[in-house]
Amino acid sequence: MEQGFGLRRLYSTFAGSWPGAGLLLLRLVVGSFLLVGAGPKPWSEQPLHATLPSTSLAGSGLLLMAGLWTPVAGTIVALIELSQILTVTREPWVGLLAGSIGGALAMLGPGRWSVDAHLFGWKRIEAPPRRSRSNEL
């Protein structure tokens, strides 16, 4: 099986034009939010169970910004933010918004301006012109 077939089956097209620009904007905004939100937590002296969600969110933010493995990164963001809404006592609206955007990106796809589209998108193959039989005779 050729590489990327699964991602191509998941997204039959990679949106371009205005929808693609909108997906790029969503990816950049939520990715940068996740990176800023993680801050220095992944490199702190805290135990692993305290730094793992921040590290996962920061890594997913980088993947979303690049548009690489978008379904996986968006799903990770949605699941971690949902778990933090249910377990952490803080304002839930920010996590709900980031998790919703992550889930939407996992379902909608990365758009044409992404690494996923470049690696796994449909390629255009130009066939050489056919010679007619009348020219051969």
Side-chain angles (χ1 to χ4, degrees):
M1 183 180 290
E2 77 181 72
Q3 179 186 13
F5 182 69
L7 193 63
R8 193 176 312 139
R9 285 188 66 184
L10 187 59
Y11 307 117
S12 61
T13 65
F14 290 90
S17 191
W18 285 108
L23 289 169
L24 175 65
L25 180 64
L26 283 174
R27 286 192 350 254
L28 292 175
V29 168
V30 77
S32 60
F33 169 76
L34 293 170
L35 282 175
V36 169
K41 291 177 195 172
W43 296 275
S44 65
E45 297 284 330
Q46 296 179 358
L48 181 64
H49 69 84
T51 59
L52 190 60
S54 296
T55 305
S56 299
L57 287 174
S60 296
L62 284 172
L63 290 174
L64 285 175
M65 289 174 72
L68 179 63
W69 298 341
T70 306
V72 174
T75 303
I76 289 171
V77 169
L79 291 175
I80 291 175
E81 290 292 347
L82 177 65
S83 71
Q84 287 185 351
I85 288 170
L86 298 174
T87 59
V88 178
T89 57
R90 64 175 170 101
E91 191 66 32
W93 301 112
V94 175
L96 180 64
L97 182 61
S100 298
I101 293 174
L105 286 170
M107 290 183 271
L108 292 172
R112 185 167 295 157
W113 296 294
S114 65
V115 176
D116 282 340
H118 187 71
L119 293 176
F120 308 117
W122 292 100
K123 307 291 188 264
R124 183 179 184 114
I125 299 173
E126 296 291 333
R130 292 179 56 172
R131 295 186 329 181
S132 68
R133 289 188 166 237
S134 63
N135 291 345
E136 292 177 4
L137 298 176

